[in-house]
Amino acid sequence: MILILSFLLLLGLCRDTISEGPPSSPRSTHGLEFELPSTSYETKESHTPGPIGVLFQMVHGFLHVVQPNAFPEDVLRKIIQRKFDLSTDYEKIIHYEVGIIICAALGLLFVILMPLVGFFFGLCRCCNKCGGEMHQREKRNAAFLRKCYAVSLLVICIFISVGIICGFVANDHLRTQIGKTQKLADSNLRDLRTLLNETPSQINYVLGQYTTTKEKAFWDLDNIKSLLGGGIHEQLRPKVIPVLDDIKAMAAAIKETKEALLNVNKTLEDLKKSTARLSTSLHEVKTNLEQSLNDPMCSERAEMATCNDIRKTLNQLDDNTNLSQLPSLDKQIDNVTDVLRTDLSSLVQEGYKSFNDIPERVQNQTVDMVSDIKGTLNSIGSNIGNINKQMSIRDKLSSFSDQLDYIETYIHRRLPTLEEYDSYRWLGGLVACSLLTLIATFYYLGLLCGWFGYDQNATPTRRGCVSNTGGVFLMVGVGISFLFCWILMIIVVLSFVVGGNVEKLVCEPYQNKKLFQILDTPYLLNEEWKYYLSGMVLNKPDINLTFQQVYSDCKDNKGIYTTLKLENSYNISEYLNIQELTKNISSDFENMKVKIDNIVLLDAAGKKNLQDFSSSGVDRIDYGTYLAETAKMPTKVHLVTFADGLEGKANKLPQGNVRQSLASNARKIRKIYDGQVVPLGSSMTTLHRSIQELQHKSNGLGVKVHNIISSLDSAQDFITNHISSIIVQESKKYGNMIIGYFEHYLKWVKISITEEIAACKPMATALDSAVDVFLCNYIIKPMNLFWFGIGKATIFLLPALIFAVKLAKYYRRMDSEDVYDDVENIPMKNMQKGNIDFHRHQTTQNL
């Protein structure tokens, strides 16, 4: 019943929930990310029987040996089509069921013969036949036979015990699993309700994400200044900004050039004055030295050489530069000053402003277009919102929810009855296993008492009480076996026929999908429908919709829309036509008019200013002469060295006016060096560097200005001739970005509705729970293990009772025994009961 209800549940939801499916999470390249909340289900996808599964596999292997034939697909198809004729097709059934029929026939033969055999065996024993006579003939191999019988019976009892254990385990496992049925059913019903409850919220979530998409588009439309205008601005930037930056740098260079010219010119004038003072100071020292050397003392022979040496070095006391010959830079300064009368920096800033105003102009010209697009997006939102109303998901799911309530009520009403019947079954199974346990217990007790109570020295009539009790236990076991084994075999045969056939005809083909393949046979369930499922769900029986495909898709957690191919009944693509919904937006962007002109990077005055600077003569200054003069030492000789030499030579002269004069002039020379030469050298070094910097700034000035003007003209021409195409290109890119949001969203909506919302995995799980878990794992497999266990135990009762009867003779106390004549060695029967008077017997023998 649960199988039927679950199957109807699947078909009902398939028919009533068109266009439903589960969470998806496509990643958007436009900054949008959609992800449905995940839905979790509590029912396990697969059932694991645990350690008992090994026993189930053993029974399954036995069934495969008993019935190795392939699944009778043709016979089942005929039965479903009601074309099966037992009179003509019985051979196919017999061929398939031959193994089960033979086993059942043997079981029935066992059921029939065992009571008859037991009846006649009892009558025979009552007539002192069939071992009923309490007399045991002595045999030479009696000890060996007794041991063989005992060991054989023990081994058989072990096999019986294994079967009994399997029976107890299966009986208890079946009851435990039946107790889990309520939990299993509730779990599946909760999962189905979760599916029903989550489906509308998932659809609402999917449709509600349009608001997120629209808000993203609105944000981009409100920021058209930075997105579209900024895009146009960025396309022009590589052409425009470098030129403006070069002009701006040139404007700064003009100012820096004037400052450098002024600095060089002033420093040069100062250096000219300093060199003049230095020359005067050196001339004075030189004159003093010459006057000192004219002293009569220098005419003397001893001092003449020293005075002549000093006189020869006097020509070194002179300045080394000729800065006075360097021309002034006043003319270049005047030219640059004239250039600076035009504020090139301000002109460049106007160019920057004109270029940077492009985004603002784009925004001002697209106000109406943005308003129209927003209105179009709001209308698209209304159309998408109508999809939910057109599908009427809530109404369809509410009607199916009523069916689910009915199924739940039915299950809750029937399960107590099932559990009650199972309690009777469990009690019957317990009784059956207990009977087998009782028989095995008597056998074990008989073996135990007989084995340990047996006395090899005792004669059959003198056996002990323990041994005799063992024999009685064995015969009691035999008696109970005859009384109840046929009843146990009836239970085994019935459960074997039912459980074996269900295992082979339902459970096994359900697992290997052959059951679905049979149901998918064209024109099977309805002679007018090629595919029954498509005819039932879609009213279009020619569509290839199979049970196996639906089950597999549901196992893979696909949406019902795709699983049942509901596009043949309700084409969601017609309601989510991306081109149809976005064509108005595309038209608005195509008709967008953005006009940007009158962008002037630098006017004619700015260009003339650059040209005037290039002709200012700054680059034609004779920098080589300036650098050569400023690189010289201020004096021809290092004055400190000269003063040291002069002072050393003066020390060679005798004390007097000449020596004092020379020493005084040496000190003056050092003072001149410290006070004039050192500052002059530092200033000349600074001037040298300044001239080098000025040379670097003015180097190739004409070429630089020419290149800047050429780049300026090229950038201005590019703006004039190409800005319209850039506007069209960026407008298309911007429009595609806006439309891309909705194309991405609508594709996601389509994928979600067609493939993922209302994923039917709970349906497949419910069907698996009904067939594979409840019917096969909860009922059939434990039932098969039960009949396998008690069947094996019952079968082994037959050899067990034979060996028990044989063995009991060796344990029980006999009424008579064989005696032997000592002379003739002829056995004679002693009919006396109890103890035998050997003396009396010997006398009788002699007589």
mmCIF file of all heavy atoms in Angstrom, residues 617-655:
data_model
loop_
_atom_site.group_PDB
_atom_site.id
_atom_site.type_symbol
_atom_site.label_atom_id
_atom_site.label_comp_id
_atom_site.label_asym_id
_atom_site.label_seq_id
_atom_site.Cartn_x
_atom_site.Cartn_y
_atom_site.Cartn_z
ATOM 1 N N GLY A 617 65.505 82.437 -27.380
ATOM 2 C CA GLY A 617 66.962 82.407 -27.417
ATOM 3 C C GLY A 617 67.594 81.695 -26.256
ATOM 4 O O GLY A 617 68.826 81.626 -26.158
ATOM 5 N N VAL A 618 66.842 81.144 -25.374
ATOM 6 C CA VAL A 618 67.411 80.457 -24.219
ATOM 7 C C VAL A 618 68.237 79.251 -24.663
ATOM 8 O O VAL A 618 69.282 78.950 -24.077
ATOM 9 C CB VAL A 618 66.289 80.024 -23.249
ATOM 10 C CG1 VAL A 618 66.862 79.230 -22.091
ATOM 11 C CG2 VAL A 618 65.540 81.229 -22.752
ATOM 12 N N ASP A 619 67.795 78.607 -25.721
ATOM 13 C CA ASP A 619 68.512 77.424 -26.187
ATOM 14 C C ASP A 619 69.733 77.780 -27.027
ATOM 15 O O ASP A 619 70.528 76.894 -27.361
ATOM 16 C CB ASP A 619 67.568 76.532 -26.987
ATOM 17 C CG ASP A 619 66.952 77.253 -28.175
ATOM 18 O OD1 ASP A 619 66.833 78.489 -28.113
ATOM 19 O OD2 ASP A 619 66.563 76.569 -29.152
ATOM 20 N N ARG A 620 69.904 79.099 -27.376
ATOM 21 C CA ARG A 620 71.042 79.510 -28.206
ATOM 22 C C ARG A 620 72.146 80.173 -27.389
ATOM 23 O O ARG A 620 73.098 80.744 -27.933
ATOM 24 C CB ARG A 620 70.552 80.464 -29.305
ATOM 25 C CG ARG A 620 69.648 79.770 -30.334
ATOM 26 C CD ARG A 620 69.340 80.668 -31.500
ATOM 27 N NE ARG A 620 68.557 81.824 -31.118
ATOM 28 C CZ ARG A 620 67.234 81.837 -31.012
ATOM 29 N NH1 ARG A 620 66.539 80.738 -31.283
ATOM 30 N NH2 ARG A 620 66.594 82.949 -30.667
ATOM 31 N N ILE A 621 72.037 80.188 -26.119
ATOM 32 C CA ILE A 621 73.100 80.715 -25.262
ATOM 33 C C ILE A 621 74.347 79.844 -25.427
ATOM 34 O O ILE A 621 74.255 78.610 -25.520
ATOM 35 C CB ILE A 621 72.639 80.749 -23.793
ATOM 36 C CG1 ILE A 621 71.458 81.713 -23.619
ATOM 37 C CG2 ILE A 621 73.768 81.137 -22.866
ATOM 38 C CD1 ILE A 621 70.849 81.705 -22.237
ATOM 39 N N ASP A 622 75.578 80.547 -25.423
ATOM 40 C CA ASP A 622 76.833 79.807 -25.566
ATOM 41 C C ASP A 622 77.180 79.162 -24.211
ATOM 42 O O ASP A 622 78.031 79.657 -23.452
ATOM 43 C CB ASP A 622 77.954 80.762 -26.025
ATOM 44 C CG ASP A 622 79.229 80.001 -26.398
ATOM 45 O OD1 ASP A 622 79.189 78.737 -26.331
ATOM 46 O OD2 ASP A 622 80.230 80.647 -26.703
ATOM 47 N N TYR A 623 76.498 78.081 -23.953
ATOM 48 C CA TYR A 623 76.682 77.420 -22.662
ATOM 49 C C TYR A 623 78.086 76.855 -22.497
ATOM 50 O O TYR A 623 78.607 76.756 -21.382
ATOM 51 C CB TYR A 623 75.649 76.291 -22.502
ATOM 52 C CG TYR A 623 74.243 76.793 -22.317
ATOM 53 C CD1 TYR A 623 73.332 76.761 -23.365
ATOM 54 C CD2 TYR A 623 73.826 77.315 -21.097
ATOM 55 C CE1 TYR A 623 72.046 77.224 -23.203
ATOM 56 C CE2 TYR A 623 72.531 77.774 -20.932
ATOM 57 C CZ TYR A 623 71.639 77.722 -21.989
ATOM 58 O OH TYR A 623 70.359 78.186 -21.822
ATOM 59 N N GLY A 624 78.766 76.524 -23.628
ATOM 60 C CA GLY A 624 80.111 75.975 -23.523
ATOM 61 C C GLY A 624 81.093 76.967 -22.935
ATOM 62 O O GLY A 624 81.919 76.622 -22.077
ATOM 63 N N THR A 625 80.996 78.234 -23.393
ATOM 64 C CA THR A 625 81.885 79.254 -22.869
ATOM 65 C C THR A 625 81.618 79.506 -21.400
ATOM 66 O O THR A 625 82.547 79.611 -20.571
ATOM 67 C CB THR A 625 81.706 80.550 -23.662
ATOM 68 O OG1 THR A 625 81.974 80.281 -25.058
ATOM 69 C CG2 THR A 625 82.650 81.635 -23.175
ATOM 70 N N TYR A 626 80.357 79.594 -21.075
ATOM 71 C CA TYR A 626 80.002 79.819 -19.667
ATOM 72 C C TYR A 626 80.507 78.673 -18.789
ATOM 73 O O TYR A 626 81.071 78.900 -17.717
ATOM 74 C CB TYR A 626 78.484 79.937 -19.523
ATOM 75 C CG TYR A 626 77.945 81.297 -19.895
ATOM 76 C CD1 TYR A 626 77.545 81.578 -21.195
ATOM 77 C CD2 TYR A 626 77.824 82.302 -18.941
ATOM 78 C CE1 TYR A 626 77.044 82.810 -21.542
ATOM 79 C CE2 TYR A 626 77.325 83.550 -19.281
ATOM 80 C CZ TYR A 626 76.932 83.799 -20.594
ATOM 81 O OH TYR A 626 76.432 85.034 -20.926
ATOM 82 N N LEU A 627 80.290 77.463 -19.253
ATOM 83 C CA LEU A 627 80.706 76.302 -18.454
ATOM 84 C C LEU A 627 82.222 76.215 -18.355
ATOM 85 O O LEU A 627 82.780 75.845 -17.316
ATOM 86 C CB LEU A 627 80.152 75.011 -19.064
ATOM 87 C CG LEU A 627 78.630 74.839 -18.978
ATOM 88 C CD1 LEU A 627 78.188 73.613 -19.762
ATOM 89 C CD2 LEU A 627 78.183 74.734 -17.525
ATOM 90 N N ALA A 628 82.939 76.615 -19.466
ATOM 91 C CA ALA A 628 84.393 76.552 -19.444
ATOM 92 C C ALA A 628 84.977 77.558 -18.455
ATOM 93 O O ALA A 628 85.920 77.245 -17.702
ATOM 94 C CB ALA A 628 84.950 76.807 -20.847
ATOM 95 N N GLU A 629 84.436 78.770 -18.454
ATOM 96 C CA GLU A 629 84.952 79.798 -17.560
ATOM 97 C C GLU A 629 84.630 79.474 -16.096
ATOM 98 O O GLU A 629 85.461 79.658 -15.207
ATOM 99 C CB GLU A 629 84.375 81.158 -17.939
ATOM 100 C CG GLU A 629 84.939 81.742 -19.227
ATOM 101 C CD GLU A 629 86.428 82.005 -19.128
ATOM 102 O OE1 GLU A 629 86.903 82.383 -18.029
ATOM 103 O OE2 GLU A 629 87.138 81.789 -20.112
ATOM 104 N N THR A 630 83.414 79.010 -15.870
ATOM 105 C CA THR A 630 83.029 78.739 -14.480
ATOM 106 C C THR A 630 83.674 77.483 -13.931
ATOM 107 O O THR A 630 83.668 77.248 -12.717
ATOM 108 C CB THR A 630 81.499 78.604 -14.368
ATOM 109 O OG1 THR A 630 81.059 77.586 -15.274
ATOM 110 C CG2 THR A 630 80.800 79.918 -14.703
ATOM 111 N N ALA A 631 84.258 76.686 -14.830
ATOM 112 C CA ALA A 631 84.921 75.460 -14.364
ATOM 113 C C ALA A 631 86.361 75.717 -13.952
ATOM 114 O O ALA A 631 87.013 74.837 -13.375
ATOM 115 C CB ALA A 631 84.878 74.395 -15.462
ATOM 116 N N LYS A 632 86.914 76.947 -14.281
ATOM 117 C CA LYS A 632 88.309 77.243 -13.955
ATOM 118 C C LYS A 632 88.469 77.524 -12.469
ATOM 119 O O LYS A 632 87.519 77.869 -11.780
ATOM 120 C CB LYS A 632 88.791 78.449 -14.752
ATOM 121 C CG LYS A 632 88.840 78.227 -16.267
ATOM 122 C CD LYS A 632 89.304 79.492 -16.964
ATOM 123 C CE LYS A 632 89.386 79.309 -18.475
ATOM 124 N NZ LYS A 632 89.804 80.555 -19.159
ATOM 125 N N MET A 633 89.791 77.428 -12.011
ATOM 126 C CA MET A 633 90.150 77.840 -10.656
ATOM 127 C C MET A 633 90.213 79.357 -10.601
ATOM 128 O O MET A 633 90.569 80.011 -11.582
ATOM 129 C CB MET A 633 91.503 77.252 -10.265
ATOM 130 C CG MET A 633 91.511 75.731 -10.153
ATOM 131 S SD MET A 633 90.518 75.161 -8.773
ATOM 132 C CE MET A 633 91.460 75.815 -7.405
ATOM 133 N N PRO A 634 89.886 79.983 -9.493
ATOM 134 C CA PRO A 634 89.911 81.442 -9.431
ATOM 135 C C PRO A 634 91.312 82.027 -9.637
ATOM 136 O O PRO A 634 91.469 83.136 -10.164
ATOM 137 C CB PRO A 634 89.396 81.737 -8.025
ATOM 138 C CG PRO A 634 88.570 80.547 -7.673
ATOM 139 C CD PRO A 634 89.285 79.399 -8.305
ATOM 140 N N THR A 635 92.367 81.306 -9.239
ATOM 141 C CA THR A 635 93.745 81.786 -9.372
ATOM 142 C C THR A 635 94.560 80.778 -10.135
ATOM 143 O O THR A 635 94.205 79.593 -10.234
ATOM 144 C CB THR A 635 94.370 82.016 -7.984
ATOM 145 O OG1 THR A 635 94.333 80.797 -7.248
ATOM 146 C CG2 THR A 635 93.634 83.108 -7.217
ATOM 147 N N LYS A 636 95.720 81.276 -10.658
ATOM 148 C CA LYS A 636 96.580 80.395 -11.431
ATOM 149 C C LYS A 636 97.291 79.383 -10.555
ATOM 150 O O LYS A 636 97.681 78.308 -11.022
ATOM 151 C CB LYS A 636 97.610 81.222 -12.195
ATOM 152 C CG LYS A 636 97.002 82.074 -13.304
ATOM 153 C CD LYS A 636 98.088 82.850 -14.042
ATOM 154 C CE LYS A 636 97.480 83.691 -15.171
ATOM 155 N NZ LYS A 636 98.512 84.459 -15.910
ATOM 156 N N VAL A 637 97.527 79.746 -9.318
ATOM 157 C CA VAL A 637 98.212 78.869 -8.406
ATOM 158 C C VAL A 637 97.427 78.810 -7.112
ATOM 159 O O VAL A 637 96.681 79.742 -6.787
ATOM 160 C CB VAL A 637 99.643 79.372 -8.117
ATOM 161 C CG1 VAL A 637 99.646 80.687 -7.333
ATOM 162 C CG2 VAL A 637 100.472 78.320 -7.372
ATOM 163 N N HIS A 638 97.578 77.691 -6.420
ATOM 164 C CA HIS A 638 96.918 77.580 -5.140
ATOM 165 C C HIS A 638 97.609 78.504 -4.156
ATOM 166 O O HIS A 638 98.811 78.334 -3.853
ATOM 167 C CB HIS A 638 96.964 76.130 -4.641
ATOM 168 C CG HIS A 638 96.015 75.859 -3.537
ATOM 169 N ND1 HIS A 638 96.306 76.148 -2.221
ATOM 170 C CD2 HIS A 638 94.764 75.328 -3.538
ATOM 171 C CE1 HIS A 638 95.303 75.795 -1.461
ATOM 172 N NE2 HIS A 638 94.323 75.286 -2.265
ATOM 173 N N LEU A 639 96.916 79.500 -3.681
ATOM 174 C CA LEU A 639 97.537 80.553 -2.883
ATOM 175 C C LEU A 639 98.116 80.037 -1.578
ATOM 176 O O LEU A 639 99.163 80.528 -1.114
ATOM 177 C CB LEU A 639 96.512 81.658 -2.602
ATOM 178 C CG LEU A 639 96.026 82.438 -3.834
ATOM 179 C CD1 LEU A 639 95.077 83.547 -3.398
ATOM 180 C CD2 LEU A 639 97.194 83.034 -4.619
ATOM 181 N N VAL A 640 97.509 79.104 -0.951
ATOM 182 C CA VAL A 640 98.028 78.565 0.305
ATOM 183 C C VAL A 640 99.359 77.886 0.056
ATOM 184 O O VAL A 640 100.346 78.060 0.806
ATOM 185 C CB VAL A 640 97.038 77.606 0.953
ATOM 186 C CG1 VAL A 640 97.627 76.963 2.197
ATOM 187 C CG2 VAL A 640 95.740 78.336 1.304
ATOM 188 N N THR A 641 99.452 77.133 -1.018
ATOM 189 C CA THR A 641 100.717 76.480 -1.363
ATOM 190 C C THR A 641 101.787 77.515 -1.686
ATOM 191 O O THR A 641 102.969 77.391 -1.288
ATOM 192 C CB THR A 641 100.504 75.546 -2.561
ATOM 193 O OG1 THR A 641 99.463 74.615 -2.259
ATOM 194 C CG2 THR A 641 101.771 74.769 -2.897
ATOM 195 N N PHE A 642 101.345 78.533 -2.461
ATOM 196 C CA PHE A 642 102.295 79.588 -2.806
ATOM 197 C C PHE A 642 102.798 80.289 -1.554
ATOM 198 O O PHE A 642 103.990 80.591 -1.406
ATOM 199 C CB PHE A 642 101.621 80.598 -3.754
ATOM 200 C CG PHE A 642 102.542 81.675 -4.241
ATOM 201 C CD1 PHE A 642 103.356 81.489 -5.351
ATOM 202 C CD2 PHE A 642 102.631 82.902 -3.574
ATOM 203 C CE1 PHE A 642 104.220 82.497 -5.799
ATOM 204 C CE2 PHE A 642 103.496 83.887 -4.020
ATOM 205 C CZ PHE A 642 104.289 83.694 -5.131
ATOM 206 N N ALA A 643 101.881 80.579 -0.619
ATOM 207 C CA ALA A 643 102.269 81.262 0.622
ATOM 208 C C ALA A 643 103.208 80.391 1.438
ATOM 209 O O ALA A 643 104.187 80.897 2.029
ATOM 210 C CB ALA A 643 101.003 81.595 1.414
ATOM 211 N N ASP A 644 102.933 79.098 1.496
ATOM 212 C CA ASP A 644 103.835 78.208 2.232
ATOM 213 C C ASP A 644 105.220 78.190 1.605
ATOM 214 O O ASP A 644 106.256 78.201 2.307
ATOM 215 C CB ASP A 644 103.253 76.791 2.253
ATOM 216 C CG ASP A 644 101.995 76.713 3.089
ATOM 217 O OD1 ASP A 644 101.759 77.599 3.918
ATOM 218 O OD2 ASP A 644 101.217 75.721 2.894
ATOM 219 N N GLY A 645 105.276 78.169 0.263
ATOM 220 C CA GLY A 645 106.574 78.181 -0.412
ATOM 221 C C GLY A 645 107.310 79.490 -0.202
ATOM 222 O O GLY A 645 108.537 79.513 -0.007
ATOM 223 N N LEU A 646 106.526 80.591 -0.278
ATOM 224 C CA LEU A 646 107.124 81.904 -0.075
ATOM 225 C C LEU A 646 107.705 82.016 1.340
ATOM 226 O O LEU A 646 108.824 82.532 1.537
ATOM 227 C CB LEU A 646 106.076 82.991 -0.323
ATOM 228 C CG LEU A 646 106.544 84.438 -0.144
ATOM 229 C CD1 LEU A 646 107.664 84.785 -1.146
ATOM 230 C CD2 LEU A 646 105.358 85.408 -0.316
ATOM 231 N N GLU A 647 106.971 81.543 2.279
ATOM 232 C CA GLU A 647 107.419 81.621 3.669
ATOM 233 C C GLU A 647 108.639 80.748 3.897
ATOM 234 O O GLU A 647 109.581 81.092 4.641
ATOM 235 C CB GLU A 647 106.268 81.212 4.607
ATOM 236 C CG GLU A 647 106.512 81.599 6.036
ATOM 237 C CD GLU A 647 105.278 81.313 6.873
ATOM 238 O OE1 GLU A 647 104.706 80.189 6.765
ATOM 239 O OE2 GLU A 647 104.829 82.214 7.590
ATOM 240 N N GLY A 648 108.703 79.619 3.244
ATOM 241 C CA GLY A 648 109.862 78.749 3.373
ATOM 242 C C GLY A 648 111.113 79.376 2.774
ATOM 243 O O GLY A 648 112.225 79.268 3.334
ATOM 244 N N LYS A 649 110.929 80.033 1.634
ATOM 245 C CA LYS A 649 112.081 80.683 1.013
ATOM 246 C C LYS A 649 112.530 81.876 1.848
ATOM 247 O O LYS A 649 113.754 82.176 1.936
ATOM 248 C CB LYS A 649 111.736 81.123 -0.393
ATOM 249 C CG LYS A 649 111.513 79.941 -1.348
ATOM 250 C CD LYS A 649 111.055 80.417 -2.707
ATOM 251 C CE LYS A 649 110.783 79.222 -3.642
ATOM 252 N NZ LYS A 649 110.300 79.657 -4.961
ATOM 253 N N ALA A 650 111.531 82.585 2.445
ATOM 254 C CA ALA A 650 111.895 83.744 3.263
ATOM 255 C C ALA A 650 112.714 83.311 4.468
ATOM 256 O O ALA A 650 113.592 84.051 4.947
ATOM 257 C CB ALA A 650 110.629 84.473 3.712
ATOM 258 N N ASN A 651 112.475 82.169 4.961
ATOM 259 C CA ASN A 651 113.219 81.690 6.141
ATOM 260 C C ASN A 651 114.678 81.409 5.821
ATOM 261 O O ASN A 651 115.508 81.273 6.737
ATOM 262 C CB ASN A 651 112.556 80.432 6.698
ATOM 263 C CG ASN A 651 111.199 80.744 7.316
ATOM 264 O OD1 ASN A 651 110.968 81.872 7.786
ATOM 265 N ND2 ASN A 651 110.313 79.753 7.332
ATOM 266 N N LYS A 652 114.988 81.276 4.520
ATOM 267 C CA LYS A 652 116.383 81.044 4.144
ATOM 268 C C LYS A 652 117.212 82.355 4.173
ATOM 269 O O LYS A 652 118.436 82.315 4.110
ATOM 270 C CB LYS A 652 116.454 80.436 2.740
ATOM 271 C CG LYS A 652 115.843 79.046 2.654
ATOM 272 C CD LYS A 652 115.917 78.519 1.237
ATOM 273 C CE LYS A 652 115.284 77.153 1.126
ATOM 274 N NZ LYS A 652 115.346 76.631 -0.271
ATOM 275 N N LEU A 653 116.464 83.452 4.189
ATOM 276 C CA LEU A 653 117.145 84.752 4.192
ATOM 277 C C LEU A 653 117.498 85.130 5.619
ATOM 278 O O LEU A 653 116.828 84.716 6.582
ATOM 279 C CB LEU A 653 116.251 85.825 3.568
ATOM 280 C CG LEU A 653 115.868 85.608 2.085
ATOM 281 C CD1 LEU A 653 114.861 86.678 1.640
ATOM 282 C CD2 LEU A 653 117.109 85.647 1.204
ATOM 283 N N PRO A 654 118.542 85.966 5.790
ATOM 284 C CA PRO A 654 118.889 86.433 7.143
ATOM 285 C C PRO A 654 117.854 87.406 7.664
ATOM 286 O O PRO A 654 117.022 87.916 6.908
ATOM 287 C CB PRO A 654 120.254 87.110 6.932
ATOM 288 C CG PRO A 654 120.281 87.499 5.484
ATOM 289 C CD PRO A 654 119.488 86.477 4.731
ATOM 290 N N GLN A 655 117.891 87.576 8.933
ATOM 291 C CA GLN A 655 116.962 88.492 9.571
ATOM 292 C C GLN A 655 117.168 89.896 8.984
ATOM 293 O O GLN A 655 118.282 90.356 8.745
ATOM 294 C CB GLN A 655 117.184 88.533 11.090
ATOM 295 C CG GLN A 655 116.869 87.227 11.786
ATOM 296 C CD GLN A 655 115.381 86.951 11.766
ATOM 297 O OE1 GLN A 655 114.571 87.895 11.636
ATOM 298 N NE2 GLN A 655 115.021 85.686 11.881
#
